[in-house]
């Protein structure tokens, strides 16, 4: 389980997160939605220990990321919105470095990475330096690195940006299979269609507040118009994140 407990975060006078509470069950595929500047990336950085909250805590399977970060980080893989990679390493060298960090034996390494290398068609580029990679290729090698140590959870910040349509389809299949095998996925996206098609549950954040959390069916039911007509996820998203609704919670 992934859990946020009354998490707040300020950047100077700006309050990016205002007492966020959230639980994501094991084996779930959770989409985290919100407009630019709503707090999505800050939330993911706190969950992964990149940032410390000003108050509150984040738990990974009951382990506090603030109190026991090494133990918590052993349980998940992380892809930031802009991958920070060692550009003077080749793709293969970078994956080996990540597997060194997680103490993966040399014998096990090919089985951990080869299928993902093939799925993302990275084979011809694995011996090239990362500095020569396009954004899409950097996303792919970052995704493989996040998956190679068989994590129990994945945190992905805008993982589809920079990917071509076939790679997006491949990623969706990987995430669905990951949850079927017991993993938990927490990812942010601006592509509502992806959230609607593959996610068990979505959360919507606006101005540092959670304004919706539930299955898409639950959210649509809650937001039905007076005539009883169900709204699209896009309409609900725009309504809940508009300036007139941003200060209220769902």
């Amino acid at each position: 389980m992934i859990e946020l407990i009354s998490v707040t975060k300020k950047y100077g006078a700006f309050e990016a997160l205002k007492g966020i509470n959230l639980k994501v069950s094991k084996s779930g595929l959770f989409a985290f939605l919100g407009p630019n500047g709503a707090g999505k990336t800050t939330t993911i950085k706190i969950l992964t220990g990149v940032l410390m909250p000003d108050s509150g805590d984040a738990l990974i399977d009951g382990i506090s990321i603030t109190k026991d970060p090494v133990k918590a980080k052993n349980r998940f893989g992380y892809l930031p919105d802009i991958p920070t990679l060692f550009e003077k390493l080749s793709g293969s060298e970078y994956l080996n470095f990540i597997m060194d960090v997680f103490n993966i034996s040399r014998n096990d390494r090919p089985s951990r990475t080869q299928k993902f290398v093939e799925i993302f068609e990275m084979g011809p580029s694995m011996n090239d330096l990362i500095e020569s990679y396009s954004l899409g290729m950097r996303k792919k090698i970052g995704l493989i690195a996040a998956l190679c140590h068989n994590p129990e959870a994945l945190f992905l910040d805008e993982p589809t940006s920079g990917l071509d349509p076939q790679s997006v389809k491949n990623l969706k299949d990987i995430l669905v299979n990951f949850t079927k095998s017991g993993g938990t996925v927490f990812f942010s996206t601006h592509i509502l269609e992806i959230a609607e098609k593959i996610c068990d549950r979505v959360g919507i954040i606006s101005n540092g507040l959670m304004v919706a959390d539930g299955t898409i069916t639950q959210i649509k039911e809650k937001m039905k118009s007076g005539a009883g007509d169900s709204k699209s996820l896009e309409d609900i998203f725009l309504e809940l994140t508009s300036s007139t609704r941003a200060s209220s919670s769902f």
Side-chain angles (χ1 to χ4, degrees), residues 15 30 33 51 71-72 79 95 110 112 124-125 137 143 151 163 166 169 173 179 189-190 207 214 227 240:
E15 194 172 14
F30 181 84
L33 312 177
L51 290 175
K71 187 174 181 180
L79 178 72
L95 292 182
R112 299 291 187 99
S125 305
M137 294 168 70
L143 285 163
L163 295 183
Q166 182 59 56
K169 170 64 167 58
D173 291 342
T179 58
T189 182
H190 282 107
N207 287 346
L240 289 173

Side-chain angles (χ1 to χ4, degrees), residues 33 190-193 196 204 216 220 231-241:
L33 312 177
H190 282 107
I191 305 175
L192 301 183
E193 181 185 9
E196 195 154 15
I204 302 176
I216 291 174
K220 286 184 174 181
K231 299 179 182 180
S232 69
L233 181 60
E234 181 181 29
D235 289 338
I236 292 170
F237 176 85
L238 293 173
E239 181 176 349
L240 289 173
T241 58

Side-chain angles (χ1 to χ4, degrees), residues 41-219:
T41 293
T42 295
T43 300
I44 290 176
K45 285 183 175 180
I46 287 173
L47 281 165
T48 54
V50 177
L51 290 175
M52 292 290 287
D54 293 327
S55 63
D57 204 356
L59 308 179
I60 313 298
D61 289 337
I63 303 166
S64 169
I65 192 71
T66 62
K67 297 180 178 66
D68 198 349
V70 173
K71 187 174 181 180
K73 290 178 181 181
N74 275 328
R75 307 179 84 86
F76 64 78
Y78 170 47
L79 178 72
D81 53 345
I82 301 175
T84 303
L85 309 172
F86 297 112
E87 299 201 344
K88 295 301 182 181
L89 297 181
S90 68
S92 293
E93 289 170 336
Y94 179 70
L95 292 182
N96 274 312
F97 166 74
I98 295 297
M99 288 185 281
D100 282 342
V101 171
F102 286 97
N103 295 314
I104 307 300
S105 73
R106 291 280 172 176
N107 291 336
D108 289 342
R109 295 185 182 193
S111 65
R112 299 291 187 99
T113 60
Q114 190 57 39
K115 68 175 180 179
F116 298 121
V117 169
E118 292 174 358
I119 288 171
F120 286 123
E121 299 180 335
M122 286 291 291
S125 305
M126 291 304 294
N127 291 322
D128 296 338
L129 295 183
I130 289 173
E131 67 180 0
S132 70
Y133 285 6
S134 67
L135 174 60
M137 294 168 70
R138 290 170 186 239
K139 280 289 179 84
K140 291 175 185 179
I141 204 70
L143 285 163
I144 298 169
L147 288 159
C148 68
H149 61 283
N150 290 349
E152 296 181 26
L154 286 175
F155 293 100
L156 310 175
D157 195 356
E158 296 289 347
T160 59
S161 65
L163 295 183
D164 58 82
Q166 182 59 56
S167 296
V168 172
K169 170 64 167 58
N170 294 339
L171 174 60
K172 289 191 291 186
D173 291 342
I174 287 170
L175 297 184
V176 170
N177 290 332
F178 182 78
T179 58
K180 285 181 178 178
S181 65
T184 307
V185 178
F186 187 111
F187 77 101
S188 69
T189 182
H190 282 107
I191 305 175
L192 301 183
E193 181 185 9
I194 292 178
E196 195 154 15
K197 283 188 174 180
I198 69 171
C199 289
D200 307 306
R201 188 168 143 224
V202 301
I204 302 176
I205 187 172
S206 183
N207 287 346
L209 292 167
M210 292 297 298
V211 294
D213 176 22
T215 67
I216 291 174
T217 299
Q218 289 170 340
I219 293 172

